[in-house]
Amino acid sequence: MKKLFLSLLILNFSFLIFAMPGFKSYLPDSSGDFVYYRDYSFTQESYIGLLMYNESSFQVRYYAPQDTKNNLPERDISILVSINPSSDFWDMTGERLITSISNTPEEIDILNYLHDFLYEFSSRRIKAGNVSPENPKYLISNFFKNNGLIIKQDFPQFGGQVYLTFDAIIPFFNVKNIIDMKNNTLLECICFGKIQSSNDTTFSGFKGFTQKFKTNLEKLDKNTKARTFEYENLSVNIDSNWTTNYNFAQFKDEGIIVLSKLTALPDDTNYCLLSLTKSLCSSFQDSYCNLRYLEFYYNKEENQIKLIKNIYSDNNMIKGIEILTKDKNSNDFNYFYLSTFFHAYNTRRSYYDKIINSYKIN
């Protein structure tokens, strides 16, 4: 059951904030932040990750799972790199391998590619300029894949003319995806998050996404009476299958509901919405929010964002639904959260959707 609470926990941590060389991020990065990309330019399923220790130290990792069909081995290559934080570009001052390699031509090519990856992403992010809602070309819509600043440019490493999408919620270089002129995805950010300590394996243990998930269901009594679950001015309709305690409701080990208030410090609605969205989509504690399947709905008139997420944890897939709405009388955000197992949601979708659709701000 604790895995169903994942989205809430990330909001409670604070870390030292750092700037990237050559540009100012709309949402600043901090120690422990990481990002992973699926890179389709490789013939083997491949992921590239970047982890920030501090403003001058990063780890870059290449991971490819074993491909038995094509007789390709698992590859896991990590480099610790240092940069000059005072530079106005990505200026690497040192590097050290932290995994063993066999110096095959394939692995040497991967190492060279990782170097190019960092320099290219830094250079292109600097040239992109203002990646924030303050830029009139920055898009916030219901299509998460295209949200952000889309720039057409030549990128030889990815075959020539492409569209780069920069999004403020993506850590470090803000690169969300690279799409070719035929609308094929060449690279995409599939998750980002934060490690909590030096012993946290969320970054180092990432090996892609599995499709395994829990299939057993709790017994659902369909003859129970409907009732209203309330917290302050928030309410949702449930039934007697759920037990409630303060602002939490729980359906045995299958689902939880949370009604809450999130305090927003800056008086800037766009900044708050993007900052909270970034926090709620973050991966941590060996659980990963798959951005490829993230559903994002933005209601500008209501200052509301709805997120529907697939979270991978302990060989289970969890469905999380969150609704953030700016309070009309304060800087706070009203918050609704429902989480259940992926199989349970698909099997009982009408039941859970009825609960979600009953959520009200009174």
Side-chain angles (χ1 to χ4, degrees):
M1 171 57 66
K2 70 176 182 178
K3 293 298 182 182
L4 299 179
F5 288 89
L6 287 171
S7 291
L8 298 175
L9 301 179
I10 195 65
L11 299 175
N12 297 324
F13 296 99
S14 59
F15 296 81
L16 293 174
I17 292 173
F18 301 107
M20 296 293 287
F23 63 91
K24 182 179 180 180
S25 298
Y26 183 67
L27 300 179
D29 303 303
S30 61
S31 57
D33 282 352
F34 70 83
V35 64
Y36 268 103
Y37 293 92
R38 173 75 187 273
D39 191 333
Y40 297 93
S41 65
F42 291 84
T43 55
Q44 186 174 3
E45 179 182 346
S46 297
Y47 302 91
I48 295 176
L50 186 63
L51 166 68
M52 170 185 274
Y53 296 110
N54 53 51
E55 63 182 352
S56 61
S57 300
F58 294 80
Q59 181 186 159
V60 57
R61 177 177 180 234
Y62 171 87
Y63 178 77
Q66 182 181 13
D67 183 347
T68 54
K69 181 179 178 180
N70 295 304
N71 196 30
L72 297 173
E74 179 185 42
R75 297 188 190 277
D76 195 343
I77 301 173
S78 291
I79 312 171
L80 182 65
V81 301
S82 58
I83 65 169
N84 176 6
S86 301
S87 174
D88 57 2
F89 62 96
W90 185 267
D91 180 18
M92 282 179 55
T93 58
E95 65 175 286
R96 178 171 61 87
L97 270 168
I98 53 178
T99 56
S100 60
I101 64 171
S102 54
N103 287 320
T104 63
E106 293 80 9
E107 290 178 337
I108 298 300
D109 285 344
I110 291 171
L111 289 174
N112 291 332
Y113 183 83
L114 294 178
H115 292 151
D116 292 342
F117 184 94
L118 296 171
Y119 281 110
E120 285 288 341
F121 273 39
S122 174
S123 173
R124 292 170 189 275
R125 172 59 186 87
I126 292 170
K127 292 177 182 177
N130 182 9
V131 177
S132 81
E134 298 169 357
N135 187 330
K137 295 182 180 180
Y138 189 98
L139 177 67
I140 300 179
S141 71
N142 287 341
F143 194 34
F144 178 75
K145 184 178 181 180
N146 286 346
N147 276 357
L149 178 66
I150 303 175
I151 301 177
K152 181 181 177 182
Q153 55 188 263
D154 185 59
F155 205 147
Q157 288 89 339
F158 288 93
Q161 290 292 313
V162 297
Y163 291 102
L164 263 73
T165 304
F166 297 89
D167 191 332
I169 75 167
I170 308 299
F172 310 134
F173 306 118
N174 302 141
V175 175
K176 177 189 281 182
N177 57 51
I178 301 176
I179 310 294
D180 71 11
M181 306 309 292
K182 296 181 179 179
N183 204 34
N184 297 309
T185 300
L186 307 177
L187 176 139
E188 61 182 336
C189 178
I190 54 168
C191 71
F192 58 79
K194 184 181 291 293
I195 63 170
Q196 310 300 317
S197 71
S198 59
N199 297 320
D200 191 330
T201 60
T202 309
F203 178 79
S204 60
F206 178 77
K207 293 188 175 183
F209 295 106
T210 67
Q211 298 300 319
K212 298 178 182 178
F213 49 84
K214 188 176 182 178
T215 57
N216 58 303
L217 300 170
E218 296 286 357
K219 183 177 179 181
L220 180 69
D221 186 349
K222 297 182 179 181
N223 297 317
T224 61
K225 293 183 179 180
R227 60 194 181 102
T228 302
F229 169 46
E230 296 178 302
Y231 171 73
E232 296 189 4
N233 64 323
L234 311 179
S235 67
V236 64
N237 296 334
I238 55 175
D239 56 40
S240 298
N241 287 291
W242 296 76
T243 58
T244 59
N245 182 15
Y246 191 49
N247 65 328
F248 289 81
Q250 181 174 334
F251 171 34
K252 301 178 182 177
D253 284 333
E254 184 174 302
I256 67 165
I257 296 170
V258 179
L259 302 177
S260 186
K261 300 281 187 175
L262 301 181
T263 300
L265 297 178
D267 188 17
D268 182 328
T269 299
N270 281 327
Y271 182 91
C272 291
L273 284 172
L274 289 181
S275 181
L276 290 171
T277 298
K278 181 177 180 177
S279 293
L280 295 172
C281 292
S282 288
S283 303
F284 68 109
Q285 293 185 346
D286 297 308
S287 298
Y288 305 92
C289 176
N290 190 341
L291 299 181
R292 184 182 301 168
Y293 300 109
L294 175 68
E295 295 182 50
F296 177 97
Y297 303 97
Y298 175 53
N299 185 326
K300 185 176 181 180
E301 288 71 27
E302 297 293 328
N303 283 323
Q304 181 183 88
I305 285 177
K306 180 179 180 181
L307 304 171
I308 302 177
K309 308 181 301 186
N310 289 349
I311 301 167
Y312 294 72
S313 177
D314 291 344
N315 289 325
N316 277 317
M317 202 179 338
I318 296 166
K319 179 69 72 172
I321 296 92
E322 291 164 301
I323 302 174
L324 285 163
T325 311
K326 181 74 163 57
D327 192 275
K328 295 180 180 179
N329 301 313
S330 71
N331 283 333
D332 293 344
F333 280 80
N334 299 302
Y335 179 65
F336 168 85
Y337 175 55
L338 183 146
S339 183
T340 184
F341 291 103
F342 184 83
H343 176 70
Y345 180 76
N346 284 346
T347 304
R348 294 171 167 162
R349 182 159 188 162
S350 60
Y351 175 77
Y352 283 109
D353 282 350
K354 185 177 180 181
I355 294 174
I356 296 165
N357 293 333
S358 73
Y359 168 62
K360 292 181 180 179
I361 302 172
N362 303 311

